[in-house]
Amino acid sequence: MTPHQVRWRAFKAAVPYTLPILAGFAFLGLTYGIYMHQSGFNFIYPMLMSLTIFAGSAEFIVANLLLQAFNPVGVFFITLIINSRHLFYGLSMLDRYRHTGWKKPYLIFGMCDESFSINYTATIPDGVDRGWFMFFVTALNQSYWVGGATLGGLFGSTIPTHIKGLGFVMTALFIVLCINQLRHESNHLSSKAGAILAIVMLLIVGQTYFIPATMILVILVFTIVYRQKELTDDHH
Amino acid sequence: MTIIEQIITVSMAVLATVLTRFLPFLIFPGNRQTPRFIQQLGTFLPGAIMAMLVVYCYKDLNFGTPSGYVPAIIAGLVTAGLHLWKNNMFLSIAVGTVLYMALVN
């Protein structure tokens, strides 16, 4: 295969996986752009922020913080807390992003919830280049988000938003990917721990901190299991 | 805020986000053997992550009124049920989303 054919084949394999995200990101990106427009910002703001931050919930919060007193340290830490979940994505992708050459920095930069979930769970067909497949998933997803945010910022409230509820496409996507993950794993300890701890932490510490709190507890669960396994391995 | 302060504010958000994405790769670079604990942690985590993301999507439920949680839960259960039954990603997502939109409109 020529390099062109390799790229084309990976692109064709990647597009279908990103279609639900096209619907979700176009809609949520538009919402974000409209929100920025209504907060009085030029469309350049949502365009550049979606391109450079590229983390949905953080962008909404930064939009808010831009309207308040200058507090760079506060922005840094709130973004760090909201996006702490990315640390888990990186740990899971250490192996899969290996040997992807110059694409690796971009794959890591563009590792949003959706791109991580697809690149981790997708069964990439034989004969399709993994690096290019993951590259196209990541780049397509980012282009949908930036496109939506820019259009929303440009046209603001003139865009009809009676497509109420389309954002649910992201929830449906994660439910489906969660089930795919359940089908692939040999035991469900991790999934059960994640679900139960996340719900309990959401109830106890609330929306802002429940993700990092859950992450710490999940690592704790893993450490206990890992230790026990090592102990029993030593006995044999 | 002045334009410079705005640029700094956005840059701080970029820096923090980039840090959360790159840190594991910087601590455990590809040219060195990753410790066994971290390798196994990496294969353990995705189950917990996916479950966490689903909970994350439901974090804004409002139990004060039925319209605040019934549509999202019904559409979610239908999406899950359909996917367990037919195992067709696009069908499950499309039906679940259209059902949700029908329920909230």
Side-chain angles (χ1 to χ4, degrees), chain B residues 70-97:
Chain B
V70 173
I73 287 178
I74 290 180
L77 288 174
V78 169
T79 307
L82 197 58
H83 196 63
L84 286 169
W85 180 36
K86 292 282 185 189
N87 197 16
N88 179 330
M89 182 170 161
F90 307 104
L91 181 76
S92 318
I93 293 174
V95 171
T97 307

Side-chain angles (χ1 to χ4, degrees), chain A residues 2-230:
Chain A
T2 66
H4 176 79
Q5 284 172 315
V6 170
R7 283 197 299 271
W8 181 238
R9 191 178 272 205
F11 181 79
K12 279 194 298 188
V15 167
Y17 279 98
T18 69
L19 289 181
I21 295 156
L22 170 60
F25 271 14
F27 175 72
L28 293 171
L30 270 176
T31 314
Y32 169 64
I34 293 169
Y35 179 74
M36 288 296 282
H37 181 93
Q38 286 172 346
S39 308
F41 292 104
N42 185 285
F43 81 94
I44 300 283
Y45 283 79
M47 188 175 84
L48 290 182
M49 283 166 69
S50 58
L51 195 67
T52 56
I53 305 176
F54 188 45
S57 40
E59 285 165 45
F60 274 98
I61 288 178
V62 174
N64 239 310
L65 293 175
L66 279 172
L67 298 167
Q68 292 165 26
F70 183 52
N71 179 5
V73 179
V75 173
F76 181 80
F77 282 106
I78 189 96
T79 314
L80 212 56
I81 289 164
I82 298 168
N83 288 334
S84 54
R85 63 189 188 285
H86 296 147
L87 292 168
F88 270 24
Y89 304 169
L91 287 172
S92 307
M93 280 306 202
L94 286 174
D95 248 3
R96 286 173 202 233
Y97 281 169
R98 212 165 267 194
H99 310 303
T100 48
W102 59 267
K103 298 180 207 77
K104 191 171 173 179
Y106 176 68
L107 288 172
I108 301 171
F109 172 83
M111 192 170 54
C112 61
D113 302 331
E114 293 75 11
S115 296
F116 160 75
S117 309
I118 289 181
N119 284 335
Y120 189 87
T121 52
T123 25
I124 303 172
D126 286 337
V128 171
D129 183 85
R130 283 180 46 257
W132 278 111
F133 175 89
M134 296 192 294
F135 176 84
F136 283 126
V137 166
T138 310
L140 283 166
N141 286 348
Q142 184 167 19
S143 67
Y144 304 151
W145 178 253
V146 175
T150 307
L151 286 177
L154 268 174
F155 300 108
S157 43
T158 55
I159 295 170
T161 44
H162 57 251
I163 33 177
K164 196 176 155 198
L166 189 56
F168 189 80
V169 72
M170 300 309 346
T171 307
L173 172 78
F174 288 127
I175 290 173
V176 163
L177 293 178
C178 187
I179 290 173
N180 288 351
Q181 170 65 25
L182 286 170
R183 284 193 170 121
H184 283 135
E185 57 196 15
S186 48
N187 75 70
H188 301 313
L189 176 67
S190 174
S191 302
K192 282 180 193 160
I196 295 166
L197 292 172
I199 294 171
V200 172
M201 284 301 110
L202 177 61
L203 295 174
I204 297 177
V205 300
Q207 285 198 8
T208 316
Y209 297 103
F210 86 101
I211 292 284
T214 308
M215 287 168 61
I216 291 167
L217 292 175
V218 166
I219 291 182
L220 211 65
V221 169
F222 172 75
T223 310
I224 294 166
V225 175
Y226 183 83
R227 280 272 159 78
Q228 277 179 344
K229 205 169 144 274
E230 285 224 307

Side-chain angles (χ1 to χ4, degrees), chain B:
Chain B
M1 263 192 227
T2 66
I3 183 87
I4 298 292
E5 287 176 338
Q6 287 181 340
I7 292 172
I8 294 172
T9 300
V10 173
S11 303
M12 291 312 255
V14 174
L15 184 68
T17 307
V18 163
L19 200 63
T20 58
R21 285 179 179 153
F22 276 87
L23 204 59
F25 297 91
L26 297 176
I27 300 175
F28 307 107
N31 54 15
R32 249 188 313 177
Q33 180 72 31
T34 310
R36 214 165 71 88
F37 178 82
I38 298 299
Q39 276 181 17
Q40 300 218 352
L41 180 63
T43 55
F44 177 83
L45 290 179
I49 295 172
M50 297 300 167
M52 221 165 69
L53 283 172
V54 173
V55 177
Y56 188 80
C57 289
Y58 279 97
K59 72 183 191 319
D60 296 315
L61 286 189
N62 171 15
F63 289 98
T65 126
S67 64
Y69 66 95
V70 173
I73 287 178
I74 290 180
L77 288 174
V78 169
T79 307
L82 197 58
H83 196 63
L84 286 169
W85 180 36
K86 292 282 185 189
N87 197 16
N88 179 330
M89 182 170 161
F90 307 104
L91 181 76
S92 318
I93 293 174
V95 171
T97 307
V98 169
L99 175 66
Y100 180 80
M101 291 167 74
L103 288 172
V104 293
N105 283 313

